[in-house]
Amino acid sequence: MDARASELFGSGNGHGSGSQGVASNVKPGSGFGVAPKKACVKNKKIATPRFIRNFKPSNNIPYLPPEAEEGNIEYKLKLVNPTQYRFEHLATQMKWRLQEGRGEAVYQIGVEDNGMLVGLSEEDLRTSLRTLHMLAEKVGADITVLRESEVDYDSDVSRKIAEVLIRKVPDDQQFLDLRVAVLGNVDSGKSTLLGVLTQGELDNGRGRTRLNLFRHLHEIQTGRTSSISFEILGFNTAGEVVNYSESRTAEEICERASKMITFIDLAGHHKYLKTTIFGLTSYCPDFAMLVVSANTGIAGTTREHLGLAMALKVPIFIVISKVDLCTRATVERTVRQLERVLKQPGCNKVPMVVSSTDDAVAAAQQFAQSPTVTPIFTLSSVSGESLDLLKVFFNIIPPLSNSKEQEELMQQLTEFQVDEIYTVPEVGTVVGGTLYSGICREGDDLVVGPTDSGQFHKLTIGSIQRNRSGCRVLRAGQAATLALGNFDRSLLRKGMVMVSPEMDPTICWMFEAEIVLLFHAKTFHKGFQVTVHIGNVRQTATVEAVYGKEELRTGEKAVVLFKFIKHPEYLKVGAKVLFREGVTKGIGQVTKLQPIAQYRLSQSQYDDA
């Protein structure tokens, strides 16, 4: 990973020749994908086709990777006239798959458990789909047929397989929620694309749709995003888009949608790089969308943003915008340029150009299963070309974490990371951020800190809002704003945490981290000052010691002792560290903390007690 990220962050031109060892035979329309690791070992192949035409030499029958016991994908050969007992068993099985996919499951009909694509006659397929409809009704879910395909092998009879998406919002949630960070160079069309997706109308070629996303006057005047803004795109149970074209408010969208994509619009200009890094580290996006302009290709901060996403291990897909401004040859040249960068040893990704609905379905599933697959979309926000493919992709893409991980986080003590602070008339102080662990309800008593002296203050949660609509309970992994009533805003700052009073948070001025220096013009040594990003913490720190070495050069590793210069912070061992100063960049993880003292309440609150 370290060598990869330094390739992208470094000053080289990036046209790597390392395409060897990368499956470059993933072509548009082929429906190919990457098998899970277990299946790869079993079949002794590097990549297994996800859908059709991977012929076994013995009997010419195409195969999928064998069915996994865990996960949200289920294979069924056929579902014709099941007995009552069998029907109940199938319904229980569907509930399990939905739980594994946190509300979404994919059924492959006409496929055996070992992955063999047998296919069904037209009559059997229709009967199986009707049974699936009845099962979905029983568990309270909705189903959408994603695609049907004919299986070609030595047979005169036409046989088909079907792929079906089943969606049911969990009983304890309002909707499924995914966060997508939007990256890319300045003027690549990020805000315009989000405006088109969320407003439901095409752009006029001069940036009309992006005006609703800007938060400041200077952004409207320059056309450049300088702050972090959030936009939402919903999908109902039938997979149809729910956005502002038919709904007037965010609350209406939340009520009508069963799946919500929250876009985090980040800044593209190098001047606002610290804001972009804060958005990536603090808001914990599930995926990153890298927008590249077709007429300029890889330019400016594109390579740097790609490196940031890889360093933070955020799965990334690419959108090539403004194809209406270019000839087909120019678009293809930009695609080839991206493929070269993605295949080089620094990335080791498998690019997959999406050119049909079939590709979009396959890309969404492979992207979630294998971190190496990188879908590439080519579209226009003015003509609307291929926008539908991106919407299909967003509708199908499943959450990365499964229900078991989510439950484990929810059972821990409450920890809310403060990213934004507002004062709202008639409401008072409001904080925005992400609930890292536990459950948060209206009326809960928490403590917030650390202050400059390392203390914590008591507070009570008033009301909670998610995506601009009211919410009574907040669960681990969800982003929201919390009203704190008349709590003094001057006591709060970005980077603080709100935790359960039972927690014993570790507050420290100094910490050790194992780092790799990605790029540095000279040498990195004791006394050097850098801006450190750890989750929602962003502060300048001084290098107090470099263990085992006098100094570091580009590409070298070491354990380094850092000291914050302004105030102590709440950190955890194992947290990802990203630091920068000018052209200097590095990544690593926290290995040891030097706590100043264990958590304590402020003196005034002791007196109250």
Side-chain angles (χ1 to χ4, degrees):
M1 170 63 231
D2 313 328
R4 303 178 201 174
S6 59
E7 287 268 344
L8 290 159
F9 277 111
S11 56
N13 60 8
H15 295 297
S17 58
S19 59
Q20 63 269 26
V22 179
S24 58
N25 57 347
V26 179
K27 298 185 179 72
S30 65
F32 273 27
V34 179
K37 199 171 281 185
K38 200 187 290 182
C40 294
V41 173
K42 197 168 181 179
N43 295 335
K44 294 194 169 52
K45 292 179 183 175
I46 292 171
T48 305
R50 175 83 190 110
F51 217 60
I52 300 175
R53 294 187 176 86
N54 177 22
F55 296 109
K56 296 267 175 169
S58 57
N59 52 9
N60 281 351
I61 296 179
Y63 272 74
L64 281 178
E67 180 187 73
E69 286 186 20
E70 295 182 347
N72 70 333
I73 297 177
E74 176 70 30
Y75 296 168
K76 282 283 170 261
L77 181 56
K78 61 180 176 181
L79 299 168
V80 178
N81 300 328
T83 62
Q84 185 62 32
Y85 175 78
R86 171 77 173 147
F87 188 85
E88 295 295 333
H89 172 74
L90 290 169
T92 306
Q93 193 178 50
M94 183 176 282
K95 286 178 185 174
W96 160 253
R97 291 296 183 188
L98 285 166
Q99 186 185 345
E100 281 289 283
R102 286 170 56 189
E104 287 185 336
V106 174
Y107 271 61
Q108 308 276 10
I109 307 297
V111 182
E112 288 198 352
D113 287 352
N114 64 0
M116 186 168 74
L117 303 185
V118 177
L120 297 175
S121 65
E122 187 70 29
E123 185 182 347
D124 282 354
L125 185 64
R126 296 295 146 232
T127 307
S128 296
L129 289 175
R130 275 198 300 274
T131 306
L132 206 59
H133 265 287
M134 290 160 62
L135 285 166
E137 276 181 23
K138 182 171 177 63
V139 302
D142 292 271
I143 85 169
T144 310
V145 178
L146 298 176
R147 54 182 176 172
E148 293 181 10
S149 302
E150 284 195 10
V151 184
D152 307 334
Y153 59 97
D154 305 337
S155 171
D156 299 331
V157 184
S158 170
R159 301 178 77 84
K160 284 185 173 181
I161 55 174
E163 192 164 8
V164 183
L165 175 69
I166 298 168
R167 181 175 293 157
K168 178 184 186 291
V169 179
D171 299 331
D172 59 354
Q173 288 183 36
Q174 192 179 355
F175 46 75
L176 309 170
D177 195 13
L178 291 179
R179 287 192 292 275
V180 178
V182 186
L183 302 169
N185 189 35
V186 65
D187 299 332
S188 61
K190 300 184 296 298
S191 300
T192 301
L193 174 60
L194 294 192
V196 169
L197 288 170
T198 57
Q199 304 299 324
E201 59 180 41
L202 295 174
D203 191 54
N204 63 351
R206 294 187 295 279
R208 181 181 62 196
T209 57
R210 70 185 177 191
L211 296 178
N212 295 314
L213 277 72
F214 289 149
R215 295 172 62 180
H216 304 291
L217 178 62
H218 70 265
E219 292 182 324
I220 296 170
Q221 291 168 341
T222 61
R224 289 178 177 173
T225 304
S226 64
S227 61
I228 299 171
S229 63
F230 297 86
E231 287 302 317
I232 55 174
L233 174 68
F235 293 93
N236 62 20
T237 48
E240 297 162 346
V241 171
V242 181
N243 57 20
Y244 286 110
S245 62
E246 295 173 3
S247 308
R248 293 188 177 182
T249 64
E251 197 164 352
E252 278 184 45
I253 294 176
C254 293
E255 283 172 7
R256 294 175 55 202
S258 61
K259 181 175 186 174
M260 193 75 73
I261 308 290
T262 303
F263 294 106
I264 307 166
D265 190 18
L266 302 175
H269 199 282
H270 198 275
K271 181 165 62 172
Y272 308 119
L273 182 64
K274 72 172 186 178
T275 304
T276 302
I277 295 175
F278 181 78
L280 272 174
T281 56
S282 177
Y283 291 106
C284 311
D286 297 291
F287 306 103
M289 176 168 76
L290 181 68
V291 183
V292 179
S293 175
N295 53 356
T296 56
I298 297 176
T301 53
T302 305
R303 190 183 301 277
E304 195 158 15
H305 285 184
L306 177 61
L308 281 171
M310 287 187 59
L312 295 168
K313 293 185 169 59
V314 180
I316 195 160
F317 62 95
I318 295 173
V319 170
I320 298 175
S321 63
K322 303 187 182 181
V323 298
D324 57 296
L325 294 179
C326 311
T327 61
R328 197 72 230 163
T330 308
V331 176
E332 285 171 4
R333 189 176 70 233
T334 304
V335 171
R336 284 197 301 271
Q337 187 186 13
L338 279 164
E339 285 178 338
R340 270 202 306 274
V341 170
L342 291 170
K343 288 177 181 179
Q344 71 187 31
C347 286
N348 285 336
K349 300 280 188 186
V350 181
M352 178 180 180
V353 180
V354 176
S355 56
S356 68
T357 307
D358 218 42
D359 290 347
V361 172
Q365 293 175 0
Q366 293 161 36
F367 182 55
Q369 289 171 5
S370 169
T372 56
V373 174
T374 305
I376 300 176
F377 297 84
T378 55
L379 54 81
S380 167
S381 299
V382 175
S383 68
E385 180 185 339
S386 298
L387 266 175
D388 288 345
L389 301 183
L390 189 60
K391 290 173 185 174
V392 167
F393 179 79
F394 283 135
N395 179 38
I396 298 168
I397 195 166
L400 286 180
S401 60
N402 59 32
S403 55
K404 190 178 176 184
E405 293 168 4
Q406 177 85 350
E407 282 171 17
E408 285 174 1
L409 278 174
M410 282 164 58
Q411 286 165 6
Q412 295 174 17
L413 291 171
T414 304
E415 181 187 323
F416 182 87
Q417 299 179 341
V418 178
D419 301 328
E420 300 273 353
I421 303 159
Y422 320 93
T423 301
V424 180
E426 300 179 16
V427 176
T429 304
V430 174
V431 294
T434 307
L435 187 66
Y436 183 80
S437 63
I439 292 177
C440 183
R441 295 182 178 86
E442 291 179 0
D444 279 2
D445 292 320
L446 302 176
V447 292
V448 64
T451 60
D452 290 358
S453 56
Q455 296 173 332
F456 281 73
H457 297 279
K458 283 184 178 178
L459 53 79
T460 303
I461 305 299
S463 57
I464 303 173
Q465 283 201 347
R466 280 185 69 205
N467 290 322
R468 302 167 202 161
S469 64
C471 169
R472 291 195 175 278
V473 181
L474 192 64
R475 292 174 173 78
Q478 296 177 346
T481 51
L482 313 179
L484 306 181
N486 56 3
F487 189 83
D488 187 359
R489 178 178 172 167
S490 64
L491 297 174
L492 299 170
R493 61 174 171 80
K494 288 183 184 180
M496 279 186 165
V497 287
M498 290 161 50
V499 296
S500 169
E502 293 92 52
M503 191 182 277
D504 194 12
T506 311
I507 313 304
C508 61
W509 280 99
M510 302 172 76
F511 67 95
E512 290 177 14
E514 187 178 354
I515 64 157
V516 56
L517 197 60
L518 299 175
F519 185 73
H520 189 41
K522 296 178 184 176
T523 54
F524 183 85
H525 50 79
K526 182 182 175 181
F528 199 78
Q529 283 194 346
V530 292
T531 303
V532 174
H533 295 262
I534 308 171
N536 66 334
V537 170
R538 178 175 69 191
Q539 196 185 149
T540 304
T542 307
V543 176
E544 292 291 306
V546 180
Y547 296 120
K549 294 184 179 180
E550 286 284 316
E551 55 191 26
L552 282 181
R553 296 185 182 274
T554 300
E556 292 184 343
K557 280 185 181 180
V559 175
V560 175
L561 177 65
F562 290 99
K563 181 180 181 182
F564 291 120
I565 66 167
K566 198 172 180 187
H567 37 242
E569 298 284 9
Y570 165 69
L571 299 179
K572 284 183 174 179
V573 172
K576 291 192 188 86
V577 178
L578 201 148
F579 61 89
R580 58 179 181 82
E581 179 54 49
V583 293
T584 301
K585 296 178 188 71
I587 56 170
Q589 68 174 20
V590 176
T591 55
K592 187 180 177 184
L593 303 175
Q594 295 190 6
I596 47 168
Q598 292 307 309
Y599 137 85
R600 61 184 188 275
L601 285 170
S602 61
Q603 191 61 45
S604 62
Q605 289 173 342
Y606 270 128
D607 298 341
D608 293 344

